[in-house]
Amino acid sequence: MTRLFFLFFLCICCCAAAQQSMTLGRQQKDTLTLGDSAPDGYKSLKRIQIGKDGHAGFGGSCRFQYLLLDNENWNPASRDPDGYLLSRWLFHTELQFGNRFRLFAELQSALAGSRIAPVPVEENALEAHQLFMEFQPLESIPLTIRLGRQEVSFGSQRLISLRDAPNSRRSFDGVEGIYAREKFRASMFYLHAVLDKLGIFDDRSSPELKVWGLFLDRTTFGSLPNLNFYYLGFYNRHALFYDGPGMEKRHTLAARVFSKDSRWNYDLEGGYQFGSIGRRGISAWSIAFSTTYSFSDMKYAPELGCKADIISGDGNPYDRNQQTLNTMFGPGAYFGMAAPIAPSNLMDVHPGVKLHLTGKITFSFDYAFLWRYSKKDGLYRPNMVPFFESNNATSSYIGSQISGAITYQATPDVLLLLGGSWFNSGDYLSDMGMGKDILLGFAGAQVRL
């Protein structure tokens, strides 16, 4: 009873802060300035001069998340009475020689203490997370070639993300070409996904799971919107959907317009997917919109916002057309850790508010409502595996989730989190025999080194 009261308290006062994170990839050159709040002696160790125009850089981060979770996946049989502790350590080093050649390496250790039957995205004892070389072939052209194991994320990270929230971050093996000027960035890439495993240095890239494409990012001037355009090719040798398995060859065309750093911000993204799964043709689409308005002249500078998605699902499991959107390498906790489902075959609305209680403390709250887009299709896990063995429910309403967050940015490199959420199951989950409400309590800390 005490534990349930503690969970309920967390749900009311704060939560689902798992997605509040310092997620910038440390392989980016501009992260060398991180750690400015540290003593000068420590900063001198982070960057050591080598010769006239070379240097060695060092750094890392650690994150701890303690979670109390009731009715995980809406299933009362998956109770964990004592909770569990997720920890993640990242350590990196780089060697820079002039402006045209760089080596970067990063180790990752993700552990799940007291977790019953952890999965690899929660526990990956020790792995070579990144190991690549980077060179600029022509001094007069801002083109960089990156070859090796690397983190990759693009745009809003709905389709290719760092997967920061669960615990173990994602990486790829392959090559990326980056052309970057002040207001424009283009990236062309061919990558194999690295498969997470529980052991030590046993992660391997998969020839059966890969992605390639082109991403364009244009920062505009004044009140004009910023623009993203991208093409993604995706191959999965062993895809599985509710209408059956098959070899998946999928192509995505998408565009995004968004604003930032103003009183009124918005983000609109739409995409279309085509290709084949076995003998079935693909025709899927999605539209995502979010907006916030900041009352910066009021007490606590409240920000009101709303998010909404319409994401296609399959209309007939027995025909030769497949309309289920594949999120491919999505964030892993798109709707928070309490409801680990992929943004596929969904309609949702998320109103919310954020308050700046002090210069370092923020409180946020949102209320999400979720429906299935197509009654002929079911829910999918973040790795795009069907959530249930079959789909025999007639209801569309999945449920609602109340979330909030209290974050304390103690220093530029230290972030403290406290949270919880409550997912109120709807008719669809009850029809599937998984109608228990989920309660999640959460506390965490993140430190950049």
Side-chain angles (χ1 to χ4, degrees):
M1 186 66 184
T2 302
R3 179 169 176 262
L4 289 175
F5 176 79
F6 175 67
L7 282 169
F8 180 74
F9 173 75
L10 287 177
C11 294
I12 296 301
C13 71
C14 44
C15 189
Q19 304 202 59
Q20 300 284 340
S21 181
M22 300 178 284
T23 59
L24 183 64
R26 301 302 291 270
Q27 76 275 14
Q28 305 299 334
K29 290 183 180 180
D30 56 3
T31 61
L32 290 175
T33 60
L34 296 176
D36 286 343
S37 62
D40 291 340
Y42 175 69
K43 286 190 287 185
S44 67
L45 294 176
K46 287 176 62 65
R47 187 181 175 98
I48 301 174
Q49 193 71 27
I50 300 177
K52 182 180 179 180
D53 56 357
H55 72 264
F58 305 91
S61 65
C62 59
R63 186 181 75 172
F64 302 92
Q65 301 179 90
Y66 176 68
L67 297 99
L68 290 170
L69 185 57
D70 270 342
N71 303 323
E72 184 177 8
N73 297 332
W74 306 286
N75 185 357
S78 60
R79 293 175 62 89
D80 186 348
D82 301 318
Y84 55 95
L85 177 67
L86 299 179
S87 61
R88 183 181 71 203
W89 299 81
L90 290 164
F91 297 99
H92 71 264
T93 183
E94 74 164 8
L95 294 174
Q96 177 91 38
F97 301 99
N99 295 320
R100 297 177 60 184
F101 186 80
R102 185 170 72 122
L103 293 174
F104 185 92
E106 184 175 49
L107 292 175
Q108 177 175 235
S109 176
L111 302 174
S114 300
R115 177 63 157 157
I116 299 174
V119 294
V121 296
E122 294 173 327
E123 180 160 294
N124 193 341
L126 187 62
E127 56 128 352
H129 184 56
Q130 297 195 79
L131 181 59
F132 63 82
M133 68 175 183
E134 191 176 86
F135 61 94
Q136 185 175 330
L138 301 172
E139 187 172 3
S140 60
I141 299 177
L143 173 65
T144 301
I145 307 298
R146 183 178 295 171
L147 180 65
R149 181 164 297 184
Q150 54 194 286
E151 287 186 336
V152 174
S153 65
F154 297 108
S156 62
Q157 298 195 41
R158 289 186 176 94
L159 298 178
I160 299 183
S161 75
L162 301 175
R163 197 187 59 195
D164 188 72
N167 202 27
S168 177
R169 285 166 69 135
R170 175 187 288 121
S171 59
F172 298 85
D173 285 341
V175 60
E176 180 182 9
I178 304 166
Y179 178 87
R181 291 191 178 274
E182 182 181 1
K183 297 291 184 178
F184 178 78
R185 179 183 175 94
S187 177
M188 183 177 292
F189 51 92
Y190 182 88
L191 304 164
H192 289 257
V194 175
L195 301 182
D196 302 283
K197 297 185 179 181
L198 295 172
I200 296 175
F201 293 124
D202 58 352
D203 294 3
R204 298 290 184 271
S205 61
S206 172
E208 300 178 339
L209 188 62
K210 55 190 176 182
V211 63
W212 62 94
L214 173 67
F215 178 81
L216 305 176
D217 183 5
R218 173 65 177 172
T219 302
T220 54
F221 300 91
S223 60
L224 296 175
N226 301 292
L227 305 173
N228 289 165
F229 298 97
Y230 52 94
Y231 158 76
L232 301 175
F234 177 74
Y235 173 82
N236 184 358
R237 178 65 180 83
H238 303 289
L240 178 63
F241 292 84
Y242 277 97
D243 55 357
M247 179 188 296
E248 181 177 8
K249 299 178 181 178
R250 186 179 294 253
H251 307 275
T252 301
L253 295 173
R256 176 184 177 219
V257 294
F258 63 100
S259 65
K260 58 183 180 180
D261 302 326
S262 62
R263 186 167 221 178
W264 174 55
N265 289 313
Y266 58 88
D267 191 320
L268 175 63
E269 186 172 42
Y272 177 73
Q273 294 182 337
F274 58 97
S276 63
I277 302 175
R279 296 184 178 181
R280 306 189 303 275
I282 295 173
S283 179
W285 55 271
S286 70
I287 298 174
F289 178 73
S290 65
T291 183
T292 61
Y293 188 86
S294 175
F295 297 88
S296 55
D297 53 348
M298 295 178 60
K299 187 176 182 181
Y300 304 132
E303 297 177 19
L304 300 181
C306 187
K307 302 177 182 179
D309 299 278
I310 303 178
I311 307 166
S312 67
D314 194 36
N316 186 345
Y318 305 108
D319 63 10
R320 288 197 173 185
N321 294 311
Q322 224 279 350
Q323 294 93 28
T324 305
L325 186 96
N326 190 336
T327 56
M328 298 183 289
F329 302 103
Y334 191 82
F335 300 105
M337 297 183 71
I341 56 177
S344 186
N345 187 37
L346 283 173
M347 298 184 296
D348 57 86
V349 178
H350 299 223
V353 63
K354 183 176 182 179
L355 302 176
H356 299 267
L357 303 181
T358 70
K360 295 184 176 182
I361 301 175
T362 62
F363 169 78
S364 59
F365 173 88
D366 73 82
Y367 201 168
F369 302 88
L370 298 92
W371 298 264
R372 286 189 298 160
Y373 175 80
S374 171
K375 294 182 179 180
K376 301 297 183 180
D377 203 357
L379 296 184
Y380 292 84
R381 299 179 186 274
N383 61 355
M384 286 306 297
V385 172
F387 207 97
F388 303 109
E389 292 184 2
S390 61
N391 178 48
N392 54 12
T394 59
S395 301
S396 295
Y397 185 55
I398 300 168
S400 62
Q401 180 173 260
I402 299 176
S403 302
I406 288 180
T407 65
Y408 173 48
Q409 191 76 55
T411 75
D413 302 314
V414 178
L415 179 67
L416 304 179
L417 313 164
L418 181 65
S421 62
W422 170 40
F423 192 101
N424 185 18
S425 299
D427 294 337
Y428 169 73
L429 295 170
S430 298
D431 291 345
M432 298 302 296
M434 296 288 185
K436 293 295 183 179
D437 294 352
I438 299 176
L439 282 174
L440 169 70
F442 171 92
Q446 303 179 48
V447 180
R448 276 189 302 211
L449 306 174

